[in-house]
Amino acid sequence: METDSPASDGTPLPRALGEAGALGSLLRRIKGKLFTWNILKTIALGQMLSLCICGTAITSQYLTEKYKVNTPMLQSFINYCLLFLIYTTMLAFQSGSDNLLDILKRKWWKYILLGLADVEANYTIVRAYQYTTLTSVQLLDCDKHKWECRGSDVLIGDLLVLLGASLYAVSNVCEEYIVKKLSRQEFLGMVGLFGTIISGIQLLIVEYKDIASIHWDWKIALLFVAFALCMFCLYSFMPLVIKVTSATSVNLGILTADLYSLFFGLFLFGYKFSGLYILSFTVIMLGFILYCSTPTRTAEPAESNVPPVTSIGIDNLGLKLEESGLPETQSAVL
C-alpha cells in the first residue's frame, strides 16, 4: 500500500521550503539590522538618561508637595556647581586651543547665551511642579489629577513646561553641534561655568526668601542631593549618546522618562494605572530602535565639494562607524 506523497495536499514542497527560507532570511536581516550591539548599547544609555530625568521629576515633586520647598534655581545651582568643579577645572588644565582662557577669548558670548538658555530651561521645568502635577509636567495631559489643581495654576504650569521644552530644544541642538564638532568637555565645562554664574545671580535675586524659609532636615537635604546627582549624571552621559546618534535620537529615547515617572507615581502619589502606559512604552521603544537603525540623510549645499551621503546618514554616523569598525577620523571622507 502506497503512502501519500508529502506534496499530495496541493502545495509543492520546493515552494513551501523556499517561502520558509525567505521568511527566515528576512527575520535574520531584521535582527541583524535592529538588534546590533551598538544599537542595544544606545538603547540602554537612552533608558539610563530616562531614569535620571525620572529621578529629577520625582524629587522635585516630593520637595514641592510634601515639604513645600519651591527652589528650582537652588536645585539647578548645585548641579552647575558640580559641572564647574569637574569639567570646567578640566578645561583650565587643557593646553592650546582647548584651554579655558582661549575658549573664553574666542566664544565667550556664545556660551553666555547657551548657559542662559540651559539655566532658564531647568528653572521653568522645575518651577512648573508647584503649579501642576507630575503627569501634567511630563505629558501635558488632562487626566483627573490635573483638575485637582486650580485651573489658572494648571495653565501657568503647562505654559512653563512648553517654554522649558523650547529652551531645552535650543540647548540640545547646540550641545549636539559642540559635542560632534568640538568636544564633550568643552560643552560641559562652559555650561558649568556660565550656568553657575547665571543661576547664582538669579538665585540671589528671586529665591533668597524661599531658601531662608526652608526648615532643613536630613530628608530635605537628601532630596536635594538626589536631584543634583540625577542632573549631573544626565548632563555627563547625554553627550556620549548624542555623539554617536543625534539630539533627535536622544529626545526620542528619553520619552520613556514620562512613563517611568508615571510608574513611580502609581506607588508614590497614588496615580491610576492604565494599560495604555505599556502600549505607549512599546511604541516609543519601537520608534527609537527604528530611528537608530536607519540613518538620516543630510543634504549638502549645492556649492559643496563633499560627495553626497548615500549610505551613512549624518545623524547616526557615529553609531554606524562603530558598527562597521571604521575609525572616526574617516567621517569627513564619508
Side-chain angles (χ1 to χ4, degrees), residues 6-7 9-24:
D9 58 354
T11 302
L13 183 58
R15 180 181 176 184
L17 292 175
E19 291 177 352
L23 179 60

Side-chain angles (χ1 to χ4, degrees), residues 193-324:
L193 173 62
F194 289 107
T196 300
I197 295 173
I198 295 171
S199 62
I201 294 173
Q202 189 167 338
L203 176 69
L204 295 175
I205 295 174
V206 301
E207 284 188 0
Y208 67 96
K209 291 183 178 179
D210 293 325
I211 295 174
S213 65
I214 297 177
H215 301 289
W216 290 94
D217 61 24
W218 69 271
K219 293 180 181 179
I220 293 178
L222 183 61
L223 287 172
F224 270 96
V225 171
F227 178 91
L229 290 178
C230 288
M231 284 292 285
F232 179 78
C233 291
L234 176 65
Y235 273 74
S236 297
F237 292 121
M238 184 176 285
L240 298 177
V241 187
I242 287 180
K243 188 173 180 63
V244 297
T245 55
S246 66
T248 305
S249 178
V250 169
N251 281 279
L252 285 174
I254 63 178
L255 286 175
T256 53
D258 305 339
L259 297 167
Y260 292 144
S261 298
L262 289 172
F263 293 146
F264 279 103
L266 296 174
F267 304 99
L268 300 177
F269 304 110
Y271 294 163
K272 297 294 184 180
F273 177 78
S274 171
L276 293 176
Y277 295 167
I278 304 298
L279 176 61
S280 300
F281 183 85
T282 304
V283 171
I284 290 171
M285 291 304 301
L286 179 61
F288 181 58
I289 293 172
L290 290 175
Y291 182 85
C292 288
S293 64
T294 306
T296 301
R297 296 179 59 184
T298 303
E300 296 290 344
E303 302 295 328
S304 175
N305 293 324
V306 179
V309 177
T310 56
S311 61
I312 299 181
I314 296 299
D315 274 355
N316 296 329
L317 180 58
L319 188 61
K320 296 303 176 185
L321 287 174
E322 285 189 12
E323 291 179 4
S324 60

